Amino acid sequence: MSGHTLQDKVVVVTGASGGVGRAVVRELGHQGAKVALIARGMAGLGAAAVDVGAAGGIGQVYEADVADYGEVRRAAEQIEAELGPIDVWINVAFSSVFARFTDIEPAEFERTTAVTYLGYVWGTRVALDLMKPRGRGAIVQAGSALAYRGIPLQSAYCGAKHAVKGFTESVRTELMAERSGIHVTMVQLPAVNTPQFDWVLSKLRRHPQPVPPIYQPEVAARGIVHAAAHPERKEYWVGSMTVATLLAQRVAPALVDRYLGRTGVDSQQTGEKAPSGVANLWEPADETTDYGAHGSFDSKSHGRSPQLWLSRHRTAVTALAGAAAGAVLLRRVLR
């Protein structure tokens, strides 16, 4: 991918203040993009805008709750008035609850769904309303391996990611039927070392953790920004466990259920400390404190993903690598 593919393009990123979204806006800054940063936490947003400028781009802050269609619409109109027509819209924002399903209050489940699913729906709707008269544009959905495979303690998040996948496929086929010049793509992400494990509402006794292998947010960002520059593909995969999850789920879903039933609860909790007590479900965690892109698992995280390279280049090796990763997971299940 050319280092200047998105130079001078107007790119919107939701969830831009921290985690994967924060890494995405930095990567866009390196490409010289005009980046519109949407989130709720002003400390995180302000620091993210500085990151974009330091990297060589233009960063502009727009405070909005993605669960509110009106706020998203007003932010988009302001973006077009100040930065110009939107070329790319990237949906990253989410929230969640780490808990067993029966421990999640209805209002908490509803709020998670509104942010993590409807936030993508409203962002996509607003982007299409603005892009369709021009007949061009790209929408990128930051997805997850959990769009294909639900796991314990994350019922609200998994349900939302499954919904985003189905919604995106429906919209994509409608655009294809219209022979539209607008493209919609998804980037399915693995476990990523972001602040989500420090600021997502948790009802667990122990601190939540991502399930290895864990990747740094910059790996996810490279995949998302590549997809923004090359949105014709339906889907990109980042991380070995993402590939293994997709294949294992297709080959032996019942075995995966049993494996996750045995290991899924303990593997998502550390043995070292209690949850942080911070929760961003109702209010932003980074209103006065900047959390940045990285979480607390730097020492356990990978900075590169061969699967991303394979997914981008779409060679026969992709199938071989995916089959090998699937075989590894199946061996774990059958043990």
Side-chain angles (χ1 to χ4, degrees):
M1 177 173 63
S2 168
H4 301 289
T5 303
L6 296 174
Q7 185 172 20
D8 297 325
K9 300 293 186 183
V10 176
V11 184
V12 176
V13 181
T14 71
S17 64
V20 170
R22 180 69 166 269
V24 167
V25 302
R26 289 174 179 165
E27 184 72 16
L28 290 168
H30 286 302
Q31 295 208 11
K34 300 175 183 177
V35 189
L37 304 95
I38 293 180
R40 297 176 299 160
M42 292 308 295
L45 276 172
V50 172
D51 286 351
V52 175
I58 296 172
Q60 191 79 8
V61 168
Y62 300 89
E63 184 180 9
D65 184 343
V66 297
D68 187 318
Y69 171 80
E71 289 190 21
V72 177
R73 179 78 196 198
R74 286 189 290 274
E77 291 172 349
Q78 187 178 355
I79 290 165
E80 293 223 325
E82 295 176 354
L83 295 180
I86 295 168
D87 298 292
V88 180
W89 188 290
I90 302 175
N91 285 309
V92 182
F94 77 93
S95 190
S96 189
V97 182
F98 286 114
R100 297 178 188 275
F101 169 62
T102 51
D103 292 332
I104 303 174
E105 296 297 328
E108 294 167 344
F109 203 101
E110 184 176 34
R111 172 64 182 171
T112 297
T113 304
V115 175
T116 309
Y117 172 53
L118 288 180
Y120 279 51
V121 173
W122 301 150
T124 301
R125 174 58 187 267
V126 169
L128 287 176
D129 284 348
L130 296 172
M131 291 173 178
K132 274 193 169 186
R134 300 190 285 268
R136 59 179 174 80
I139 299 170
V140 181
Q141 317 284 39
S144 170
L146 303 187
Y148 285 85
R149 172 65 253 180
I151 63 175
L153 307 181
Q154 297 203 49
S155 58
Y157 180 83
C158 291
K161 286 300 184 182
H162 274 68
V164 168
K165 178 179 178 292
F167 161 74
T168 300
E169 290 171 346
S170 181
V171 172
R172 182 189 299 112
T173 54
E174 289 177 0
L175 292 171
M176 292 172 68
E178 297 168 5
R179 300 183 184 275
S180 173
I182 301 169
H183 298 282
V184 183
T185 186
M186 289 196 75
V187 183
Q188 309 295 12
L189 303 179
V192 184
N193 174 37
T194 72
Q196 78 174 89
F197 300 95
D198 295 311
W199 71 17
V200 167
L201 174 61
S202 176
K203 299 188 177 185
L204 307 176
R205 290 186 298 105
R206 292 176 284 155
H207 196 278
Q209 68 175 2
V211 180
I214 308 166
Y215 293 84
Q216 295 289 23
E218 288 78 15
V219 176
R222 289 194 292 271
I224 290 169
V225 172
H226 178 85
H230 305 279
E232 299 82 8
R233 287 272 302 279
K234 171 185 176 180
E235 190 173 53
Y236 293 86
W237 297 348
V238 178
S240 59
M241 190 52 69
T242 308
V243 178
T245 299
L246 302 184
L247 289 170
Q249 180 63 14
R250 291 168 181 169
V251 173
L255 292 176
V256 176
D257 281 348
R258 288 200 289 272
Y259 174 71
L260 289 170
R262 288 202 313 266
T263 67
V265 172
D266 286 340
S267 66
Q268 292 185 80
Q269 301 178 76
T270 71
E272 303 166 1
K273 56 182 179 179
S276 67
V278 178
N280 74 341
L281 186 63
W282 302 105
E283 301 293 337
D286 55 352
E287 179 64 26
T288 58
T289 301
D290 175 31
Y291 282 77
H294 286 223
S296 53
F297 301 94
D298 278 330
S299 63
K300 302 178 181 179
S301 301
H302 301 285
R304 300 181 64 186
S305 168
Q307 292 73 28
L308 172 59
W309 186 92
L310 293 169
S311 180
R312 284 168 50 174
H313 291 82
R314 203 181 179 95
T315 66
V317 183
T318 307
L320 295 175
V328 170
L329 183 58
L330 285 175
R331 282 199 297 272
R332 292 181 184 175
V333 173
L334 293 169
R335 282 193 305 207

